[in-house]
Amino acid sequence: MAEVPHDPYVDLYARRTTGMTASEVRALFAVASRPDVVSLAGGMPFVQALPFEDIAEITQKVLLERGATALQYGQGVGQQGLREQLSTLLGEEGIEAGPDDIVVTAGGQQALDVVGKIFVDPGDEIAVEAPSYVGALSAFSAYEPKWIQIRLDDDGIVVDELEVALRNGARPKFLYTVPNFHNPAGVTMSLERRERLVRVCRDAGIPIVEDDPYRKLRFDGDPIPALKTLDPANVIYLSSLSKVFAAGLRVGFVTAEPGVLQRFLPAKEATDLCPSNLAQLIAEEYLADDRWKINLKTLIDHYRARRDACVKALEEHFPSDATWTHPNGGFYCWVTVPEFFDTPAMLPKAIERKVAYVPGTAFYPDGRGRDQLRLAFSYPTEERVAEGVRRLGELIRDEEALRS
Ligand code: PMP
């Protein structure tokens, strides 16, 4: 974004806009999209693997056969046909939700914002994982919460720590979690943790906001039941078609108890009136043909190969005192580097060496994470992923050598 030389309204903006500057991730996109830089920064889906011709045909069909609907306003809850498809998809994952239990949103991102809007008054506590999805932190922060940060390990959120926080008087309005292939941590919550988490939250009367856009992007192992399956009444479940189909269509959705949706829907309509009918009808047509599952498998094969390239290159090129997570799906690998390597401060040097990452600090609301970084392996080819990790490993080793 161009620098604003003088803004006469600086004293007029709402308090909630403090800190709403371009996110670290966004600021990076500009530099990192130069072709000579290997960007392991933004978690972009590899849309090039999609069948563009088929999608062009679908789009044409939608416009020719249902143009008057596609180009018109629609219902705030979303198109009935798409909600039926989503209901079937959720059913395949063991989540029971009829079309009337689903509200379509502009990506999962809008659902996060609306969840913040309906639950959080300034000063209310919300519990989040540490680290947490940066987009959720920015969506919620507009509602001026106090953060209760609960540590993650290789099995997901450390429920013991949540219990300690609750014993110490924490009263979060909700707990936000990404149980599968976490962004940014790459870890997946074990079944045992899921069972304990739903029990603890239910007993404490804390709703769980389960954000699950990566669920279907599993490379190995068996799926683990969603929190929504384990405790349907106490979980607000968010997902989207961004990672399994097309992020550019901006189709996400939420399913929750009727009471929650009754608040959610008008709050959402206040921001969008209705989701895009054109995008929804394209999605509906795409999902109606089972070939989409073959396309998804192709995407998963790409992501798996890139994960393999990322982990192998980390093993080869990173110093022995660095550690990283081993994602079984999704887009991200989370790396802890030796402390001397200050990840926000070192980013410009990394970009000079033609590799970009997201510093760990982006994923905590309190400045933690200076010795951590996120690598997104979803977009560059395997060779580029490996080369990017090699460049970064070389930079860390060179910096280490300079110090000794
Ligand atoms: N939740 C998580 C955990 C994500 O990683 C993302 C996208 N990076 C989103 C929600 C939002 O995605 P979308 O709005 O495209 O559904």
Side-chain angles (χ1 to χ4, degrees):
M1 221 192 308
E3 203 153 307
V4 183
H6 170 69
D7 181 357
Y9 307 133
V10 276
D11 296 331
L12 302 182
Y13 296 115
R15 195 179 51 207
R16 75 180 71 88
T17 64
T18 319
M20 275 191 192
T21 47
S23 78
E24 274 176 270
V25 182
R26 216 176 322 141
L28 271 171
F29 268 120
V31 207
S33 61
R34 288 197 326 240
D36 54 335
V37 176
V38 177
S39 178
L40 303 170
M44 289 202 295
F46 184 53
V47 290
Q48 283 84 340
L50 291 172
F52 290 161
E53 301 259 320
D54 294 354
I55 299 166
E57 241 173 65
I58 287 173
T59 307
Q60 188 177 29
K61 181 171 173 225
V62 162
L63 286 170
L64 292 179
E65 292 176 9
R66 302 165 81 185
T69 306
L71 302 179
Q72 189 53 276
Y73 288 117
Q75 277 191 300
V77 286
Q79 284 289 321
Q80 175 74 19
L82 177 64
R83 286 183 290 116
E84 281 168 11
Q85 303 266 19
L86 296 173
S87 163
T88 307
L89 275 189
L90 288 169
E92 288 169 9
E93 301 292 332
I95 298 170
E96 274 180 48
D100 293 344
D101 305 318
I102 296 170
V103 174
V104 178
T105 56
Q109 191 63 33
Q110 186 189 35
L112 289 168
D113 179 53
V114 177
V115 163
K117 191 174 179 180
I118 64 172
F119 279 104
V120 183
D121 285 318
D124 283 349
E125 292 173 332
I126 57 182
V128 296
E129 292 158 321
S132 222
Y133 167 49
V134 58
L137 296 180
S138 46
F140 299 150
S141 69
Y143 302 101
E144 303 175 63
K146 285 202 186 107
W147 306 101
I148 311 280
Q149 295 183 78
I150 312 292
R151 194 167 56 87
L152 280 176
D153 66 16
D154 285 343
D155 290 324
I157 191 165
V158 179
V159 183
D160 287 347
E161 294 204 357
L162 174 64
E163 288 189 296
V164 171
L166 295 177
R167 267 202 302 279
N168 290 339
R171 285 293 166 265
K173 285 288 190 76
F174 59 79
L175 174 128
Y176 169 71
T177 175
V178 180
N180 289 309
F181 323 126
H182 191 272
N183 179 2
V187 298
T188 290
M189 201 189 303
S190 67
L191 179 59
E192 192 248 315
R193 287 274 174 88
R194 289 177 197 228
E195 285 170 340
R196 279 193 59 208
L197 182 67
V198 296
R199 208 166 47 237
V200 168
C201 287
R202 187 194 311 130
D203 291 349
I206 301 165
I208 296 175
V209 177
E210 177 175 27
D211 185 11
D212 204 14
Y214 300 98
R215 179 174 185 84
K216 281 187 180 291
L217 299 188
R218 178 172 275 282
F219 311 148
D220 19 60
D222 295 323
I224 305 176
L227 299 165
K228 182 73 180 159
T229 316
L230 300 175
D231 190 359
N234 197 39
V235 175
I236 299 165
Y237 185 86
L238 276 43
S239 189
S240 108
L241 300 183
S242 290
K243 313 305 190 298
V244 295
F245 178 28
L249 288 181
R250 311 306 301 128
V251 175
F253 55 95
V254 56
T255 180
E257 288 294 286
V260 175
L261 293 187
Q262 244 173 46
R263 307 264 174 161
F264 185 95
L265 182 57
K268 187 201 75 106
E269 286 171 342
T271 74
D272 72 352
L273 300 182
C274 65
S276 156
N277 274 350
L278 177 60
Q280 290 180 88
L281 294 182
I282 293 171
E284 181 189 327
E285 282 288 329
Y286 183 76
L287 297 175
D289 181 338
D290 263 356
R291 274 183 307 176
W292 83 270
K293 292 193 174 158
I294 301 170
N295 302 336
L296 175 62
K297 193 175 166 305
T298 306
L299 276 174
I300 293 172
D301 289 343
H302 281 293
Y303 295 141
R304 183 192 295 105
R306 289 163 189 200
R307 184 272 320 259
D308 290 346
C310 183
V311 171
K312 183 160 172 278
L314 281 163
E315 281 160 5
E316 277 174 20
H317 301 294
F318 267 50
S320 57
D321 47 354
T323 57
W324 49 87
T325 53
H326 290 260
N328 292 318
F331 286 6
Y332 310 104
C333 200
W334 181 241
V335 183
T336 303
V337 289
E339 239 165 62
F340 73 83
F341 193 87
D342 186 84
T343 57
M346 295 307 290
L347 184 57
K349 281 204 178 177
I351 289 174
E352 263 170 42
R353 305 258 188 135
K354 306 204 181 326
V355 56
Y357 59 82
V358 182
T361 41
F363 306 98
Y364 299 90
D366 61 0
R368 270 189 257 175
R370 303 194 80 89
D371 61 343
Q372 293 176 305
L373 58 90
R374 188 191 75 179
L375 300 178
F377 51 76
S378 51
Y379 192 74
T381 60
E382 287 119 86
E383 295 73 28
R384 296 267 291 170
V385 169
E387 175 58 16
V389 173
R390 191 195 65 74
R391 289 175 190 173
L392 190 53
E394 193 175 74
L395 171 62
I396 298 174
R397 285 168 185 280
D398 288 353
E399 289 296 315
E400 198 161 27
L402 280 180
R403 288 166 41 91
S404 51

